[in-house]
């Protein structure tokens, strides 16, 4: 019996989807050696057995959608392929149907499982990897299932290029921009009316990290966001707020430290707590970015630039040291 064929109609030119010289097509052929791909200007025909043929067709549609008519990175293609290992029937964290929240990459799946299996979890990685979003979904799910009686969301109010004193309004207005991303994520999980009601009742609390000092947080799901901007002393203060029946998720990007002096409590915590039971560190990377496909490319470009800068600085230091040696 001959193999069946599926045709995938594209919203963008095939060269945009498959890359110059069909670069991404070679990756698909390695992933599914039993399939044959025939490329036209705005369509791709796939011949071969199921379920491989259906998987490849679904992946090509995702690449087409994420490309947005522009180029798409190897990391994004690899991330989309890796996401195929996560069952589509895996239970959602919250929601139903297309509105459900679930992990979309292998790294995100590992992160969510770590939250289930540990009391404190550190989610470390660049923007767009779902660190805060998935933690928020787990917090809302825990509240709905009565595993906890409240949600506490916090982040440090660290000045990143601006000074609080120059911002308009009183203290609440000055701090609100720092907390707004937490409100935005929460608003995607619950209706505005529910968020407002639970906030008024004290079931949901969003506050700057400084407000955590001196407290013990019992029966709460606590999320510390932007943890790279905590000092080691602040991180210790926060972690020791843990009370009975509570869980904590700490999220941050170690490459985005805005602290004067640069010593981050997030980096410090991994060195100090790496071997402590019931604490897990999960690292996410550009393969786990689920924003616009261009975000992965931006992250990779900056990482490559930073590596080149490091090599350049090291080379200059070596030449300087050699010059000093010759002068002696």
């Amino acid at each position: 019996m001959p193999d069946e064929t599926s045709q995938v109609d594209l919203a963008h030119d095939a060269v945009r989807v498959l890359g110059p010289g069909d670069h991404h097509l070679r990756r698909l052929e390695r992933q599914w050696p039993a399939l044959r791909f025939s490329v036209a200007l705005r369509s791709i025909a796939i011949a071969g057995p199921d379920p491989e043929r259906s998987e490849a067709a679904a992946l090509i549609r995702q690449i087409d959608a994420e490309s947005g008519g522009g180029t798409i990175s190897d990391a994004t293609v690899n991330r989309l392929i890796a996401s195929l290992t996560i069952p589509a029937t895996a239970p959602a964290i919250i929601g139903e149907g297309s509105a459900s929240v679930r992990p979309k990459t292998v790294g995100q799946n590992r992160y969510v499982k770590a939250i289930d299996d540990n009391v404190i979890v550190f989610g470390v990685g660049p923007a767009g990897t779902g660190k805060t979003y998935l933690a928020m979904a787990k917090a809302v799910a825990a509240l709905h299932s009565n595993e906890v009686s409240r949600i506490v969301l916090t982040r440090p109010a660290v000045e990143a290029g601006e000074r609080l004193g120059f911002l308009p309004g009183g203290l609440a207005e000055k701090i609100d921009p720092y907390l707004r991303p937490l409100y935005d994520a929460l608003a995607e999980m619950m209706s505005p009316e529910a968020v407002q009601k639970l906030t008024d009742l004290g079931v949901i609390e969003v506050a700057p990290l400084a407000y955590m000092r001196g407290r013990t947080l019992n029966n709460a799901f606590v999320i510390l966001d932007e943890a790279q901007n905590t000092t080691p002393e602040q991180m210790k203060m926060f972690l020791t707020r843990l009370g009975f029946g509570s869980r904590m998720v700490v999220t941050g990007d170690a490459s985005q430290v805005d602290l004067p002096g640069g010593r981050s409590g997030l980096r410090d915590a991994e060195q100090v707590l790496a071997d402590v039971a019931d604490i897990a560190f999960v690292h996410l990377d550009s393969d786990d970015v689920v924003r616009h496909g261009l975000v992965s490319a931006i992250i990779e470009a900056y990482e490559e630039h930073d590596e080149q800068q490091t090599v350049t600085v090291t080379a200059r230091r070596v030449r300087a040291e050699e010059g000093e040696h010759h002068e002696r």
Side-chain angles (χ1 to χ4, degrees), residues 5-10 12-26 28-29 36-47 60:
T5 300
S6 299
Q7 179 168 306
V8 180
D9 294 322
L10 304 174
H12 308 99
D13 291 349
V15 69
R16 298 282 190 183
V17 177
L18 299 176
D22 290 341
H23 178 69
H24 299 319
L25 180 59
R26 304 285 87 82
L28 302 188
E29 289 173 337
R36 297 185 304 281
F37 299 87
S38 300
V39 181
L41 180 62
R42 288 280 183 123
S43 67
I44 300 173
I46 309 169
I60 289 170

Side-chain angles (χ1 to χ4, degrees), residues 117-153:
D117 296 342
N118 296 273
V119 176
I120 300 176
V121 173
F122 289 78
V124 184
T129 51
K131 306 181 301 294
T132 304
Y133 192 75
L134 291 173
M136 193 76 73
K138 293 297 292 182
V140 172
L143 183 65
H144 286 168
S145 62
N146 296 316
E147 294 176 39
V148 297
S149 59
R150 57 181 172 148
I151 297 173
V152 179
L153 311 172

Side-chain angles (χ1 to χ4, degrees), residues 21 54 57 90 106 113 143 183 244 304:
S54 296
V106 173
K113 188 175 187 304
L143 183 65
Y183 284 112
F244 293 106
E304 183 178 347

